[in-house]
Amino acid sequence: MPAHQHDASYRFCPLCGDALELRVVKAGEVERPVCEGCGHVVYLDPKIAVGTVIRNAGGELALVRRSIEPGYGKWVFPGGYVDRGEVLGAAAAREALEEANLRIRLDGLINLYSYAGRAPIIIVYAATMVGGELRADDESLEAAWFPVDTIPWGELAFRSTREALRDYLRGILHPHLPES
């Protein structure tokens, strides 16, 4: 998959309604959708998502099993897309409440994740549960607390889920371990 890909479903200019065509706007750059009529360039920016690795007082981590695609039936930590104009931390807290019924305190940034050919940039925070009761919502089949030695690694939905959990555990269990 190319490192920079445009969604072919965008066919018409959002300003004047004329057809879009792919053109190289600046030498050395990738093709971008450009309006045949008014010349407006449509920049398809990445989507921003947030997630939270939430720990309870016993040190267990909250995971939810997805009831939607992509990743149907697989486990993830609570997360989702940031709304335009929304503060990142507020989005993380909102998603934790919506997806897992948990009120959280953000403890710090775990890492940022992006992948060639994929639109989302995923920002993952470490968090501590401060209220609520873990439960599944309409986007989840179930929700559960996992001791760190029982995380279902083979049943995780996304590469970013695996990488963020590993980064989190590296920081919590071995904070002075160099990256490999």
Side-chain angles (χ1 to χ4, degrees):
M1 182 176 278
H4 194 96
Q5 182 175 347
H6 291 289
D7 187 337
S9 66
Y10 289 92
R11 299 182 327 172
F12 300 101
C13 178
L15 300 182
C16 73
D18 270 355
L20 295 174
E21 66 179 0
L22 289 178
R23 283 192 218 156
V24 173
V25 176
K26 184 176 177 186
E29 289 188 356
V30 299
E31 291 182 323
R32 301 181 188 283
V34 178
C35 178
E36 293 176 357
C38 71
H40 174 69
V41 179
V42 177
Y43 291 94
L44 299 173
D45 299 322
K47 294 281 292 174
I48 304 295
V50 291
T52 51
V53 176
I54 304 168
R55 183 178 172 141
N56 66 15
E60 298 168 310
L61 303 181
L63 295 177
V64 294
R65 189 184 299 263
R66 292 176 60 85
S67 67
I68 59 173
E69 291 293 352
Y72 180 90
K74 304 274 185 166
W75 292 97
V76 294
F77 43 75
Y81 288 114
V82 177
D83 293 328
R84 185 179 298 259
E86 188 175 25
V87 174
L88 293 171
R94 174 183 55 76
E95 288 290 344
L97 188 60
E98 287 176 4
E99 291 198 354
N101 191 47
L102 296 176
R103 290 187 309 284
I104 60 170
R105 177 190 72 231
L106 294 179
D107 298 325
L109 179 66
I110 295 174
N111 210 339
L112 311 172
Y113 305 89
S114 65
Y115 305 100
R118 307 301 242 159
I121 295 171
I122 304 104
I123 301 165
V124 183
Y125 293 97
T128 301
M129 175 187 152
V130 296
E133 186 176 324
L134 182 62
R135 71 167 187 245
D137 78 340
D138 61 339
E139 293 182 3
S140 305
L141 298 169
E142 64 181 300
W145 291 107
F146 288 88
V148 295
D149 59 346
T150 66
I151 292 171
W153 293 103
E155 298 176 51
L156 298 177
F158 307 113
R159 177 178 172 189
S160 59
T161 305
R162 286 186 298 282
E163 290 178 3
L165 285 169
R166 285 192 178 116
D167 290 347
Y168 174 81
L169 294 173
R170 182 181 298 117
I172 296 299
L173 302 177
H174 304 288
H176 305 293
L177 212 74
E179 298 236 357
S180 44

